[in-house]
Amino acid sequence: MNKYLKIFLILALVGGIVGGSVVYYVFNKPHRDVEGEAPTFTMAAEDFYNDYNADEEAGNTKYLNQVIQVNGAIADITKDGVEMTIILNNDMEGVSCALDSAAVVNNHDMLENLEIGDDITLKGKCDGFDMIMGIVLTKCFVITTED
């Protein structure tokens, strides 16, 4: 075999092994455990919304991708199968919390009894500010409810 062909084949094999290892690592990386992670910030939904809304850029710097624990009155509840979104503060501009499907399944009975106006504490990952939905929290879990 030609010397250059051997070198090319060895380099291609090493490149394939390195590339395959990177792909394997990326696809098998553990997911973030929002439920088990301690919240970076704990506050009332109204204070959280007002702080973020006052300066969205500063809010992104401070809160984006952080685990936030918020409490407040339920303004709206949207259910779609095992997906559930709870809006705190007010139904037009508030904190939109998309519950993790595991949280919905594990707390099904309690979540079925929630009503507009109930106080609730939720913890989730901040995904930023949306002009329509307000502040978006994903992977949310229920901490407590108070009637």
Side-chain angles (χ1 to χ4, degrees):
M1 234 194 264
N2 188 346
K3 176 180 170 183
Y4 294 113
L5 182 59
K6 284 183 184 180
I7 292 172
F8 174 75
L9 290 175
I10 290 171
L11 289 175
L13 179 65
V14 170
I17 291 171
V18 170
S21 298
V22 168
V23 168
Y24 178 81
Y25 172 76
V26 168
F27 281 106
N28 292 296
K29 191 166 73 168
H31 297 286
R32 186 173 182 180
D33 179 22
V34 174
E35 184 178 21
E37 197 172 324
T40 308
F41 298 97
T42 301
M43 64 189 72
E46 185 175 358
D47 295 338
F48 182 40
Y49 178 81
N50 290 338
D51 188 31
Y52 215 119
N53 192 37
D55 186 353
E56 186 178 341
E57 195 171 310
N60 283 335
T61 303
K62 185 175 181 180
Y63 299 117
L64 201 60
N65 291 320
Q66 301 295 322
V67 175
I68 313 293
Q69 183 171 313
V70 294
N71 63 311
I74 297 173
D76 191 29
I77 300 172
T78 306
K79 299 175 193 174
D80 184 19
V82 294
E83 294 181 8
M84 184 175 200
T85 302
I86 297 175
I87 299 177
L88 305 176
N89 197 19
N90 71 54
D91 59 354
M92 293 303 290
E93 296 177 326
V95 180
S96 176
C97 304
L99 270 66
D100 187 89
S101 58
V104 175
V105 171
N106 294 338
N107 298 303
H108 182 266
D109 293 337
M110 186 270 301
L111 292 172
E112 285 296 315
N113 295 322
L114 288 178
E115 297 178 4
I116 307 286
D118 288 350
D119 287 329
I120 191 167
T121 301
L122 299 164
K123 177 171 72 167
K125 181 179 78 75
C126 181
D127 281 352
F129 189 83
D130 184 285
M131 293 296 286
I132 297 170
M133 297 172 59
I135 301 171
V136 178
L137 296 181
T138 57
K139 299 183 181 180
C140 292
F141 288 87
V142 177
I143 302 300
T144 58
T145 59
E146 303 156 11
D147 292 324

